[in-house]
Amino acid sequence: MAAPIRRLVLDVMKPHDPDILEFSQTVADREGIAGVNVALIETDRVVQNLKVTLEGEDIDADAVEDAISDLGGTVHSIDAVVCGTRMVDDHETPQDP
């Protein structure tokens, strides 16, 4: 059995409609998600680029991607993942700028 996903950070492109409120609520409504943070990174005439951070006990990444797709969005990349029995935060290393 795979370790549960506890945090997922996604780079998402979506159309202007639905707005960021409806988008956030719809994604947050998926099973296993305790909270979602959506930040607008960039907007142009047709699409918006979002940073989507999800936290929960056992996030189903496929269900999240399906929800985003159902809203007309696309996951460009998975930028961070935390898995296991507890949350682990980044720590600065000599390789960091």
Side-chain angles (χ1 to χ4, degrees):
M1 179 176 206
I5 299 172
R6 299 180 55 91
R7 180 183 296 140
L8 191 59
V9 181
L10 306 173
D11 177 10
V12 173
M13 186 80 65
K14 74 162 201 65
H16 289 260
D17 188 39
D19 64 28
I20 196 169
L21 293 171
E22 182 181 344
F23 180 89
S24 301
Q25 291 170 325
T26 301
V27 173
D29 197 35
R30 292 297 182 252
E31 188 173 333
I33 297 175
V36 63
N37 181 320
V38 178
L40 178 63
I41 304 302
E42 186 177 6
T43 189
D44 69 19
R45 293 180 332 176
V46 179
V47 295
Q48 297 176 327
N49 182 241
L50 308 174
K51 177 182 176 183
V52 180
T53 304
L54 306 134
E55 289 191 0
E57 294 300 315
D58 191 5
I59 298 169
D60 182 341
D62 291 331
V64 169
E65 190 165 358
D66 289 346
I68 290 169
S69 180
D70 290 347
L71 293 165
T74 303
V75 175
H76 272 194
S77 63
I78 298 174
D79 295 341
V81 179
V82 176
C83 293
T85 58
R86 67 183 185 92
M87 297 293 280
V88 177
D89 291 318
D90 284 336
H91 292 281
E92 192 171 312
T93 63
Q95 296 85 1
D96 293 331

